[in-house]
Amino acid sequence: MNKISVLDCTLRDGGYVNDFDFSAPTIRTIISKLGKAHMDIIECGFLKDVDYDENKTVFRQVEQITPFITPKKKHSMYVAMIVTGTISASKIAPRTKDSIDGIRITFHKKEVDEAFTLGYALMDKGYKVFMQPVGTTTYNDIELLALLEKVNEMKPYAFYLVDTLGKLYAKQLLKLFYLVDDNLDEDITIGYHSHNNLQLSFSNAQELIQSCGKRNLIIDASVLGMGRGAGNLCSEILTQYINENIEYRYHTELLIELVDEYISPISYIHPWGYSAGYFLAATNNCHPNYVGFLLNKQTLNMKQIYQILKKIPEEERALYNEKLIDSLYLKFQENEVDDKEAMKKLRKIMNGKDIVVVAPGKSVVDEKEKIHEFLERETEHFIISVNNIPDEILPDALFISNQKRFHQIKKMHGLKDLSFPVIITSNIDTGKEIEYVVNYSNLVMSDTMISDNACLMLFHLLIDLGIDEIFVIGFDGYHTNVERNYYAKQLINSSDREKLSKMNKHMKKYMKKIESHLDVHYVTDSMYDPKKEKEN
């Protein structure tokens, strides 16, 4: 009879969600509970030639993993993963009774020879080796059969089918499985690693279990499906299915404890799971990171994301290329216009006035009194609101650089009924003539993390208009708790929390450039206020 094994990859594949930062006590607890739950294979993290941090599941040496897995559970195998090219075999110590038992090697097509050289070296050091080609679905039948010949000659512990794009239906998966099953040495286990873009991971796992015959099978899963993008198959769901339909083997209640105590709290800060965007990634045969990049821009609706994905060349879709998607995004946004007349008119209406920029930060509501006190001063203000119309501050102009915000404002307020002019960047499809349209491409930053941040774009516009001093309200900075980022719930965007923290660093750095051209006064509390930095 074949053996069905479950490999839990929470600490490795799940680590992409939180930059592998679990904390040392949490890593130890997760590994211990997975062992007590009788998980067959526990993946402890990556092996990479990088600086080691004991709080992260990226290890430089096999010996650094040993304290986390001691004492080892007899019924569990402990493994780590190497991405081909990130560490050499010479830096991996030989296997001992206390160390990890196996190493998974993941590789792209162009890295096959390098991956097999590494695999042979690790087998010589006593490790069970798992060969895991990235995106098995990108191999045609001839390429896959040629790869299987090399695998049969090597005789590793396991060979993997990897649905990187999360796009396989059962019929397609079984066709691939039977091709491998018919041509792979019977002593080599087949593994299956899926992503859940189309919500098929669990149903496909059931199909494989029912179809694998005498072949030993490993199915990857993670607690609560933890994994970037749409996430993975859930360990607790898979183990419960095996308990009820094959044999009682796992203490699934311990996995639920991990969900409650450790994994759910991570999901609140770094969410993952099914979304329309990741559906589009799968149906367009695109790596999910392309969609993640576009979603984190927070400027596009799903129709526009779909249009950009369609422009990715077929040969570039399966493997993520950030430079490519950034260039396609910027090109999509560009729509050159002659804005000389618009700029001339803007200079005229702002001339001689104190320019006040109102961003949509929560301080617009939290610091109401301070704002009103400032606006009641006996100076002539020209208030420009950014991508929003606050309830208690009447702007003199509205600046919109974001297609999603444009549609929101149009739906809520109607552009015809506004008592003040609207300044639109040329990337926005307004559907009709707007008086003040300025070139998008003149205002964007070269830094991809913040390339078209609306406030920074407006600051650039004001510099181009010859403004040398501004007052800012609601330019708070990004909190990982997204509800603290905007004064109104309808303005909240879903975003990668990790990226929000990084954006703050990039914004602070860029604001120094802005402030070399523009005297910026912070009316409300802001993370970017240099005075606040000095106080801290």
Side-chain angles (χ1 to χ4, degrees), residues 501-516:
S501 295
K502 289 179 181 175
M503 281 175 69
N504 280 329
K505 293 178 184 176
H506 287 247
M507 292 281 287
K508 281 181 184 178
K509 186 177 178 182
Y510 202 84
M511 278 306 296
K512 289 178 182 176
K513 290 185 181 180
I514 293 290
E515 287 167 4
S516 66

Side-chain angles (χ1 to χ4, degrees), residues 355-382:
I355 306 301
V356 181
V357 172
V358 181
K362 202 162 183 294
S363 63
V364 169
V365 171
D366 293 345
E367 300 183 49
K368 249 187 235 180
E369 289 182 14
K370 188 193 287 187
I371 294 167
H372 287 161
E373 186 183 326
F374 165 76
L375 293 177
E376 284 170 7
R377 290 178 189 170
E378 291 182 8
T379 56
E380 194 174 359
H381 298 120
F382 189 89

